[in-house]
Amino acid sequence: MGQYILNGDATKDSCNCYTLTQPINNQAGSVWQSKKINLLDSFDFSFKVFLGCTTTGADGVVFILQPSSTSIGTVGEGLGFEGISSSIGISLDTYTNPDLNDPLYDHISIQANGIVKHGNDLAGPIPASSATNNIKDCQWHTFRIKWDPSTHILSTYFDGVFRLSVQKDIVSDLFNSNPVVFWGFSGSTGGFNNLQKICTPLNPDATTGLVNNTVCIGNSVLFSDSSVSYTTIQNYYWDFGDGSTSTEENPGHLYSQPG
């Protein structure tokens, strides 16, 4: 999927994880995928987000689609999203700013054109989590965004639970009929702060359904893929450890020797 472009206070932690802000006041960071995507195609992205450990901290992160630049990031209550025209953002806002009409809980909303003041939201704000009003809990959370161009529905999920959706022709209405856009994350702190991170999950895994993954000689083993990727897995490569391989998604294999 290409390389990522970092700005401001953002840093790379590993091949797929990034820190947007340290727990320091007045920081701003953004991470952008350098390869644009085409919104005439569907996408279903899943990320991991870490919103910090300080319950009174600030300010939050935003997933953004926009066609113009990869050098955006501002401090404070704007979350690095405020003022970006021709954009749509899904905000995880973790601080109550009365001047922005913020609710008292950590909230999620879908907003257009960098307008972070609530009242003209495309959807929300509502609690970001269905289970708690505080997502600054020193835990990683799953943040999923799904786009269906045939129905013009943009949906978002938090920890596996549907939260918001909006039906809007964003290509025509927001991007002047240009479907090719950048995607990325921004985050900021202001007079309060928190450690804020994002990861694009890349976790290969498999199951066999067998007790202790053991089977008798002569019986086939069915390997079921249970990998987690932030987007659709394109190719598979299995190494069975006995010199044979497979490119199937869920291959079966017959071992001729014990071991």
Side-chain angles (χ1 to χ4, degrees), residues 52-63:
C53 299
T54 304
T55 58
T56 57
D59 270 275
V61 305
V62 187
F63 172 84

Side-chain angles (χ1 to χ4, degrees), residues 113-136:
N113 296 323
I115 300 172
V116 296
K117 186 172 183 177
H118 299 301
N120 295 301
D121 307 77
L122 299 179
I126 65 169
S129 169
S130 64
T132 177
N133 285 335
N134 174 43
I135 57 175
K136 305 179 296 293

Side-chain angles (χ1 to χ4, degrees), residues 67 87 90 97 113 125 133 189 211 215 223 232 241 251:
S87 66
I90 303 178
N97 291 287
N113 296 323
N133 285 335
T189 66
V211 177
V215 69
F223 292 91
T232 304

Side-chain angles (χ1 to χ4, degrees), residues 174-224:
L174 297 179
F175 300 141
N176 196 28
S177 299
N178 173 20
V180 183
V181 298
F182 293 107
W183 67 261
F185 278 88
S186 68
S188 66
T189 66
F192 295 88
N193 62 70
N194 243 325
L195 177 65
Q196 301 176 125
K197 301 183 178 188
I198 63 106
C199 288
T200 57
L202 298 168
N203 303 313
D205 201 4
T207 60
T208 64
L210 302 170
V211 177
N212 296 325
N213 292 324
T214 60
V215 69
C216 294
I217 292 294
N219 293 328
S220 180
V221 179
L222 177 63
F223 292 91
S224 297

